[in-house]
Amino acid sequence: MRPHEDIYRRLAKHLDDLPAGFPATESGVELRILRRLFTEEEAEMAVLLSVLPEGPESVAVRAGLAPAETARRLEEMSRKGLIYRHADKGEGFRYSANQYVIGIWEYQVNRLEPELVRDMDEYMDTLLMAGSWKRTPQLRTIPIMQAIPVPREILAHEAAEEMVRAHDRFLIAPCICRRERTMMGESCGKLEDACLIMGGGVDYYEQNGIGRRIDREEALAILKRADKEGLVLQPSNAKRIANICMCCGCCCGVLRTIKKHPRPAEFVSSPFRASLDEATCEDCGICLTRCPMDALKRNAEGRVRLDPNRCIGCGLCVSTCSGKSLVLVRKPEAEQRDVPATFRQTYIDMARRRGKLKPAKLARAWIRTKIK
């Protein structure tokens, strides 16, 4: 074991005890990632924080440091995206632990290096497949705006435009997945500023120099551009969303990983799937290039066929189907995942299913969720 390696193992366990998890690997790549991101001093501070925000004074007691020095270190770590900073009604800041994904990793968009990207590429399969993503995804998939022809068939939390209009503060940030693939010489050339942040998260991103403020009209225009570029809309897995990621199957770490699975539909939270009318299909093949999961392929006779087990319900094939042979249909109720009211509730559900939340902590977290 390297000198001081123990602090990184403790930090790895600390992150794994958070709702989203941080599973161990045989190669130890997760420890290499932490060494790249955290100094030993920062790792020592990070393990003192929980998901519940608190001021520097209480953290200082556990750290054995002066409150002023604790505040300085916490602020520096929040600027690096290693922990989260909460505005406290003009009375300073409170700080909490960040999940690794979604959280620490996404905040490294301006700190990427090739070695870090290679480590993350190695870790991604374990992170998603051995973690809790399949049981409780942190993102869900919703249709692009042009894919649902009958408005009454879609609920407010399933409609991108309605979710955006429910907010009045917006920021557009670079997609870390597309930026890392560009760094590795594998750019797809699609829109890089494709992470739409809304609400309270806008301040954190802006203060950390990630992205730029935009208005509602530009946010809606970006959603339309996402359809043209064939990007999947993936908001946070809650009815009250904080972000919408616009993802491609070639760069997105989540989509690239589940695409390797024979049944990607099992890994997404989506109430829809595509349906193909084979009799009217013109076999033009446009849908083949639009589908991020290869759910549409040609058979031996050259006819387009749909594998519903690979469909994630994004609707990208529907909006460009020249023969109107592809439509989105709602899955049977038994196959639809429940969508939590808030993202905090999503994390509570994840922690409970992983056995990482004691009853007392669950009660405290639930109270805070009801207040928010």
Side-chain angles (χ1 to χ4, degrees):
M1 184 180 293
R2 299 186 183 192
H4 306 295
E5 178 77 2
D6 181 63
I7 182 53
Y8 292 107
R9 292 187 183 279
R10 285 197 287 127
L11 177 56
K13 184 181 184 307
H14 178 71
L15 292 174
D16 194 42
D17 284 339
L18 297 179
F22 191 70
T25 66
E26 291 186 7
S27 69
V29 64
E30 74 282 4
L31 300 178
R32 295 203 303 272
I33 290 172
L34 295 183
R35 287 196 297 269
R36 296 188 192 284
L37 297 179
F38 292 79
T39 66
E40 292 175 9
E41 182 181 90
E42 290 167 342
E44 292 280 4
M45 183 67 70
V47 298
L48 300 178
L49 300 178
S50 73
V51 295
L52 301 179
E54 55 185 319
E57 295 79 10
S58 59
V59 179
V61 174
R62 299 196 298 277
L65 297 169
E69 174 61 14
T70 302
R72 184 193 69 79
R73 294 188 188 187
L74 291 172
E75 181 61 21
E76 185 175 320
M77 290 175 67
S78 75
R79 295 282 180 175
K80 293 181 179 180
L82 303 178
I83 60 175
Y84 198 78
R85 178 183 58 241
H86 307 254
D88 198 11
K89 297 181 180 179
E91 300 178 2
F93 296 110
R94 293 179 299 153
Y95 302 87
S96 64
N98 253 342
Q99 311 287 333
Y100 180 67
V101 168
I102 295 170
I104 293 173
W105 174 245
E106 286 71 19
Y107 299 142
Q108 305 311 306
V109 66
N110 291 332
R111 300 178 67 204
L112 286 177
E113 296 179 351
E115 294 79 7
L116 178 59
V117 173
R118 281 192 283 268
D119 282 346
M120 187 59 177
D121 283 348
E122 180 182 336
Y123 188 46
M124 198 63 185
D125 280 1
T126 299
L127 185 61
L128 259 66
M129 297 302 181
S132 60
W133 193 279
K134 186 174 181 179
R135 288 177 291 175
T136 312
Q138 294 184 59
L139 297 174
R140 57 195 174 93
T141 304
I142 60 172
I144 55 172
M145 292 185 288
Q146 293 82 357
I148 299 292
V150 185
R152 68 174 178 272
E153 291 182 356
I154 189 165
L155 303 176
H157 65 271
E158 299 165 350
E161 185 170 348
E162 289 193 37
M163 288 188 287
V164 168
R165 292 190 182 280
H167 287 272
D168 55 15
R169 303 174 66 216
F170 307 91
L171 178 143
I172 193 69
C175 168
I176 189 169
C177 300
R178 226 157 282 139
R179 180 167 285 186
E180 68 179 67
R181 301 293 19 119
T182 298
M183 178 176 287
M184 304 307 286
E186 302 170 3
S187 173
C188 66
K190 294 183 178 180
L191 179 67
E192 183 174 279
D193 287 345
C195 290
L196 181 60
I197 311 301
M198 292 165 279
V202 168
D203 292 334
Y204 183 81
Y205 272 78
E206 188 173 44
Q207 291 164 4
N208 282 10
I210 305 174
R212 60 182 176 85
R213 287 275 192 122
I214 61 174
D215 59 22
R216 183 183 288 115
E217 293 310 307
E218 185 172 355
L220 293 171
I222 291 172
L223 291 182
K224 291 180 180 179
R225 183 173 172 183
D227 178 18
K228 293 180 180 179
E229 298 204 11
L231 303 179
V232 179
L233 301 185
Q234 295 196 102
S236 42
N237 190 11
K239 292 178 180 177
R240 174 71 175 177
I241 67 169
N243 68 286
I244 298 179
C245 294
M246 292 164 245
C247 310
C248 58
C250 49
C251 296
C252 173
V254 173
L255 295 183
R256 284 194 303 132
T257 301
I258 68 173
K259 189 175 184 177
K260 301 173 187 176
H261 196 273
R263 302 168 66 94
E266 295 179 355
F267 288 84
V268 298
S269 176
S270 173
F272 299 100
R273 66 163 62 103
S275 176
L276 172 65
D277 184 345
E278 298 178 0
T280 62
C281 178
E282 299 174 352
D283 295 312
C284 66
I286 295 176
C287 59
L288 304 183
T289 63
R290 296 270 289 178
C291 180
M293 289 293 116
D294 293 334
L296 291 146
K297 292 185 177 180
R298 293 192 187 277
N299 63 11
E301 289 75 38
R303 301 299 306 276
V304 174
R305 293 294 180 262
L306 170 68
D307 180 354
N309 293 316
R310 299 197 63 83
C311 177
I312 60 173
C314 65
L316 288 172
C317 60
V318 174
S319 62
T320 52
C321 181
S322 58
K324 307 299 181 185
S325 301
L326 281 160
V327 296
L328 283 183
V329 296
R330 189 172 289 277
K331 296 176 182 176
E333 188 172 343
E335 295 182 31
Q336 295 184 43
R337 295 177 186 256
D338 290 334
V339 179
T342 66
F343 202 43
R344 192 185 297 274
Q345 184 61 47
T346 300
Y347 278 136
I348 292 173
D349 292 346
M350 294 175 73
R352 182 170 50 200
R353 288 168 182 164
R354 296 183 65 235
K356 297 293 185 178
L357 205 60
K358 303 294 184 184
K361 290 184 178 180
L362 177 60
R364 290 172 62 197
W366 175 251
I367 291 172
R368 296 185 66 87
T369 301
K370 298 295 282 187
I371 293 174
K372 292 294 181 180

